[in-house]
Amino acid sequence: MDADLERIVEFLQVQGTSFVINLVAAIAIFVLGRWVAKLLHRLAVKSMKKAKADPLVVTFVGNILYVMMMFAVVLATISQIGIQTTSLIAVIGAAGLAVGLALQGSLANFAAGVMVVLFRPYRVGDYIEGGGVSGTVEEVQIFNTELSTPDNRRIIVPNGQMMSDAITNYSSRSTRRVDLVVGVGYNDDIDTVRRVLESVVADDSRVLADPAPNIRIGSLGDSSVNWIVRPWVNAGDYWDVYWEMTEEIKRRFDREGINIPFPQRDVHVYHHGDKGETDVIG
């Protein structure tokens, strides 16, 4: 114990002042370097936004730049303390290989994030369905994509999962087709039904003239004649037109006396003589 204490006292006497100075300088480098990294990150993001870069690219590239700058700051901090960064980088490289093998999923998510940025199957603000979930794209990070659902839930999906599945982008096109199926009774006049449906579609100013709406008899069901009503609208009007047109069709059918059939079952009751037995057949 005495020998160890003597060595510590000797170290502090010979190199103590230098070590303290280097330690303070290393802390200063880390604090200042972190501040500069944040500043450069903000400037880079601001520049990309000013250049009207895609928000998806802005977020993804900004995150990568910040991680790289912080890695350089940490190396500079360690070097100031006196640790040889050359050997440290070799150790980090070897450890990185081992960690990379252990974290293949994370690396796959990073690669998938790069693919998203390069090929842009979706952008920030698009409503998509993919990876088993659906929602509006809020942000694309290095490893994950963040979605917001219509009921304001936050969903974080790994980029690898998103890119390994089929992606449906509902916002990539400016127009969408509204698909309605309307069932009417077999006793209702075909020409009257067609006139009413065409009137409902024509009276909605949000319906586009080109492509023209399609109104046809789609199938003859068990208890109804099923009409297809397919108007084209701007993508932003899709759900409003879907709901309001369904309601308006019901109102017009009621006024015109057009029947909308629903499942029914006839029940026949049979009495057997004086025994009082009853059979019910549906």
Side-chain angles (χ1 to χ4, degrees), residues 54-57 109 112-131 135-141 143-147 157-172:
D54 189 282
L56 186 149
V57 177
N109 290 331
V114 174
M115 298 291 285
V116 171
V117 173
L118 292 178
F119 297 103
R120 300 183 186 180
Y122 51 83
R123 303 169 183 263
V124 173
D126 287 352
Y127 187 87
I128 65 171
E129 182 179 323
T136 302
V137 179
E138 294 288 337
E139 186 177 2
V140 178
Q141 300 179 350
F143 300 107
N144 305 309
T145 294
E146 292 190 8
L147 305 178
V157 187
N159 290 328
Q161 178 180 334
M162 188 67 72
M163 292 297 291
S164 64
D165 194 8
I167 299 174
T168 302
N169 191 329
Y170 295 96
S171 305
S172 61

Side-chain angles (χ1 to χ4, degrees), residues 143-187:
F143 300 107
N144 305 309
T145 294
E146 292 190 8
L147 305 178
S148 176
T149 63
D151 58 350
N152 205 28
R153 288 179 296 140
R154 181 188 180 202
I155 302 178
I156 301 176
V157 187
N159 290 328
Q161 178 180 334
M162 188 67 72
M163 292 297 291
S164 64
D165 194 8
I167 299 174
T168 302
N169 191 329
Y170 295 96
S171 305
S172 61
R173 305 292 175 85
S174 59
T175 60
R176 287 185 64 185
R177 189 184 70 187
V178 179
D179 289 357
L180 298 177
V181 178
V182 182
V184 301
Y186 275 93
N187 294 328

